[in-house]
Amino acid sequence: MVSRVIPVDPFDLVIFGGTGDLARRKILPGLFRRFINGQMEDTSRIIGAARSDYDDAAYRKFVGEALKEFVDGGDREKKQVAEFLKQIHYIQIDATGTGGWDDLSELLRDDVIRAFYFSVAPSLFGALAERLHAHSCAGPKCRIVVEKPFGRDLATAKELNQTLRDHFDESQIYRIDHYLGKETVQNLMAVRFANVLFEPLWNAQFIDHVQITVTETVGVDGRGDYYDKSGAMRDMVQNHLMQLLCLTAMEPPARFAPDAVRDEKLKVIRALDPIEPDDIVRGQYVSDKKGDDFLDQVEDKDSITESFIAMKLAVSNWRWAGVPFYLRTGKKMKARHSEIAIIFKEAPHAIFGQAAGRHQNILVIRLQPNEGMDMLVTIKEPGQGGMRLLDVPLDMSFAEALGEDGNAPDAYERLIMDVIRGDQTLFMRGDEVEAAWAWTDPLIEGWMSREEKPKTYEVGSTGPEEAAMLLHREGRRWRDIKP
Ligand code: NAP
């Protein structure tokens, strides 16, 4: 099944931080894949901008090497790489200085879309925004893309929003959360709002609880001191898990349009109850291997920053009254695994007797590995006497079901093309980010003021014992984390 690729209008995309890690690993390879896919016109240009002393030729070499490292060999035909590199340019620029800005202004064209990707530390956003205006690079039709972290609390997020709004209209600001660019996450909306099958059941009457899991096997290696100022709550929950929660719990928007969707997501965040300390478990990993504990990898040996967090949330509205949402995320866990699991209630009356056991339908939206969905359906166990029941998955792997199209664009490529198209649906609005911080801040302040030490968990495990108890005490259990 091959769908038609619609090219986007010609553009000039300036990547501030074009020599950085994110540009090398994600942005440039993503743009290359969109190029070979036919989505990028050959009049479009990508302009790297940073302080490093490169010219076009040296930057093209840098980009060529990034493609070698981060794009599959099969996708990298020499001729295509050479064609792509012709569209690459470089401007040496200092976000906080004056050099390079006039060159950039001269290079940009008036008759194409202009997008500026701020792939630099947030402390430089203000300087960039100011200079873009001062040097007439920004116009009413230009867009800016900003990366996480979007603040570290409500006050800093507000400040950052204000800095950007001093220079750009909200309709020009694209706050990226790459989780929203994942095909499965968008499919969650398709499943809910394009099928009659699920939406009637999507409420407290039929859903027992929801589990959202995002686990990693990597630790904080090399970024310990940066991570120590953040922790799992700021790094993962306030943004990524919160966005997944919003898409799962939101009301159907009247139409699939940026503000219609974002209004509904915002209502979910505002409906979240404050959480009791008993409903949060924070953890730090420990290991038998010398030097491999979380505390070995940060400077502050008394750090109480969490590398794991699990929590029980309540969305206090008519649809979700009484349905717990359990969230967990952690580093150095048993497997790299991300999913949203909707666990339905048991059938209201068991006609098959005790031997049939207890069964619940589960809809699993898998983000990784192997993006797709599973629906666990209860059937009769084959060949057994009597009526013994079994839960089997109706499995839909996108790669298998959709063939070539199942190899959907990586989240970054998809989102960058949305920026060019001017579609903000999958980007966070300023008020959403602020609402998420307003909910997060008191929780963090709470454990900081209580000087609460995280529980420990073994590297390669499923997290602290106490996280399991969070569900056990209510007769539930976490789903397994599988590689
Ligand atoms: P990085 O590797 O440290 O790169 C920073 C980039 O900024 C470099 O290209 C650097 O180039 C440029 N830069 C620094 N100071 C500058 C200045 N005064 N003027 C112009 N350019 C300047 O950082 P990164 O990992 O790419 O991250 C970039 C942003 O994305 C950060 O906000 C980060 O939090 C966010 N982010 C990154 C990832 C990731 O996977 N890497 C994931 C999510 C979010 P020169 O030294 O040549 O100037």
Side-chain angles (χ1 to χ4, degrees):
M1 194 193 305
V2 179
S3 64
R4 199 163 60 87
V5 172
I6 304 168
V8 292
D9 289 340
F11 59 84
D12 280 346
L13 169 67
V14 181
I15 309 172
F16 291 109
T19 57
D21 176 65
L22 185 67
R24 245 166 40 83
R25 283 193 308 110
K26 291 287 178 189
I27 305 173
L28 292 160
L31 285 162
F32 174 66
R33 280 189 291 264
R34 290 297 88 208
F35 170 78
I36 53 175
N37 210 257
Q39 210 165 11
M40 222 175 108
E41 300 275 8
D42 52 14
T43 52
S44 291
R45 298 184 308 181
I46 297 156
I47 302 158
R51 293 166 306 176
S52 298
D53 186 10
Y54 287 144
D55 55 13
D56 281 357
Y59 189 59
R60 284 174 185 161
K61 190 160 173 260
F62 170 92
V63 176
E65 275 158 16
L67 299 185
K68 233 184 247 170
E69 201 174 341
F70 297 109
V71 179
D72 279 349
D75 288 343
R76 242 188 316 111
E77 282 193 21
K78 257 193 177 157
K79 196 163 153 251
Q80 287 175 318
V81 173
E83 286 301 315
F84 178 69
L85 293 181
K86 280 188 202 157
Q87 296 178 236
I88 303 279
H89 300 265
Y90 185 79
I91 297 273
Q92 190 179 7
I93 223 163
D94 185 342
T96 56
T98 50
W101 286 97
D102 289 335
D103 299 336
L104 179 62
S105 167
E106 242 170 67
L107 184 65
L108 293 171
R109 297 167 291 175
D110 286 330
D111 54 345
V112 299
I113 292 157
R114 280 183 198 184
F116 301 102
Y117 201 126
F118 289 10
S119 182
V120 293
S123 56
L124 296 176
F125 290 179
L128 285 178
E130 233 165 66
R131 281 165 180 73
L132 282 172
H133 276 276
H135 294 270
S136 312
C137 297
K141 280 200 187 147
C142 81
R143 287 126 215 208
I144 59 165
V145 185
V146 292
E147 267 295 341
K148 83 165 201 185
F150 207 84
R152 52 171 283 105
D153 53 23
L154 179 58
T156 49
K158 276 186 166 170
E159 204 180 304
L160 206 48
N161 273 336
Q162 195 51 52
T163 304
L164 297 178
R165 287 183 193 135
D166 284 346
H167 301 281
F168 298 94
D169 188 74
E170 180 65 36
S171 63
Q172 298 177 285
I173 306 170
Y174 290 71
R175 295 174 193 80
I176 210 163
D177 182 329
H178 68 275
Y179 273 67
L180 295 185
K182 287 184 182 290
E183 203 65 19
T184 8
V185 172
Q186 292 156 55
N187 248 308
L188 172 58
M189 285 187 276
V191 162
R192 283 192 60 191
F193 305 134
N195 294 282
V196 289
L197 212 55
F198 296 105
E199 199 49 28
L201 307 180
W202 211 263
N203 56 51
Q205 197 186 341
F206 296 102
I207 293 179
D208 179 72
H209 71 281
V210 175
Q211 295 185 16
I212 301 181
T213 298
V214 178
T215 55
E216 302 175 280
T217 49
V218 293
V220 297
D221 332 274
R223 299 169 60 231
D225 290 327
Y226 163 81
Y227 189 87
D228 196 21
K229 295 191 195 79
S230 153
M233 184 70 160
R234 287 192 172 100
D235 193 44
M236 296 297 292
V237 177
Q238 184 274 344
N239 39 50
H240 306 313
L241 275 83
M242 186 62 68
Q243 289 294 320
L244 299 181
L245 168 75
C246 286
L247 293 175
T248 308
M250 74 182 185
E251 293 300 315
R255 55 194 187 286
F256 191 62
D259 280 335
V261 172
R262 298 186 299 177
D263 286 347
E264 295 307 334
K265 280 170 33 200
L266 179 61
K267 284 185 208 160
V268 174
I269 304 175
R270 290 193 173 148
L272 289 175
D273 276 350
I275 309 189
E276 296 299 322
D278 273 0
D279 289 337
I280 303 184
V281 176
R282 298 187 313 124
Q284 267 179 2
Y285 57 81
V286 292
S287 165
D288 294 341
K289 226 166 91 191
K290 207 165 170 280
D292 216 18
D293 288 1
F294 176 82
L295 289 179
D296 292 325
Q297 291 157 0
V298 295
E299 204 170 300
D300 176 7
K301 302 302 170 206
D302 296 317
S303 167
I304 59 165
T305 302
E306 73 285 353
S307 57
F308 171 96
I309 190 162
M311 54 176 72
K312 176 184 164 190
L313 273 70
V315 180
S316 214
N317 62 20
W318 191 288
R319 183 187 286 262
W320 294 115
V323 179
F325 284 73
Y326 299 102
L327 271 50
R328 68 178 157 165
T329 180
K331 290 192 173 293
K332 286 272 188 190
M333 303 274 290
K334 181 180 166 194
R336 180 166 180 251
H337 183 106
S338 303
E339 66 168 40
I340 302 168
I342 316 294
I343 292 96
F344 289 88
K345 290 189 171 165
E346 288 179 39
H349 172 62
I351 66 167
F352 298 114
Q354 279 200 340
R358 299 175 60 184
H359 299 270
Q360 287 171 289
N361 297 129
I362 304 179
L363 174 67
V364 184
I365 295 121
R366 287 192 308 264
L367 277 67
Q368 66 194 13
N370 184 19
E371 279 198 71
M373 288 190 202
D374 271 339
M375 178 79 216
L376 283 184
V377 178
T378 306
I379 59 163
K380 179 189 168 298
E381 198 175 324
Q384 295 290 337
M387 196 51 126
R388 293 172 69 94
L389 301 181
L390 182 72
D391 297 326
V392 293
L394 292 178
D395 183 356
M396 189 178 111
S397 147
F398 292 162
E400 264 173 42
L402 306 177
E404 237 178 76
D405 279 5
N407 267 329
D410 165 76
Y412 271 94
E413 2 178 334
R414 152 85 206 233
L415 292 172
I416 296 171
M417 290 299 114
D418 279 359
V419 172
I420 306 298
R421 277 191 288 259
D423 183 348
Q424 286 185 304
T425 312
L426 299 174
F427 295 83
M428 292 178 294
R429 208 168 52 191
D431 52 0
E432 262 185 89
V433 174
E434 287 179 18
W437 280 121
W439 177 81
T440 312
D441 275 3
L443 301 173
I444 298 177
E445 278 157 20
W447 67 65
M448 291 307 284
S449 66
R450 293 191 297 274
E451 296 181 15
E452 214 170 80
K453 272 180 90 122
K455 315 288 181 202
T456 55
Y457 64 99
E458 289 292 329
V459 164
S461 71
T462 56
E465 248 325 278
E466 291 80 354
M469 286 310 297
L470 198 62
L471 272 75
H472 283 179
R473 68 185 189 196
E474 290 164 355
R476 302 184 172 105
R477 60 191 179 90
W478 289 107
R479 285 172 46 76
D480 196 12
I481 299 171
K482 291 188 194 132

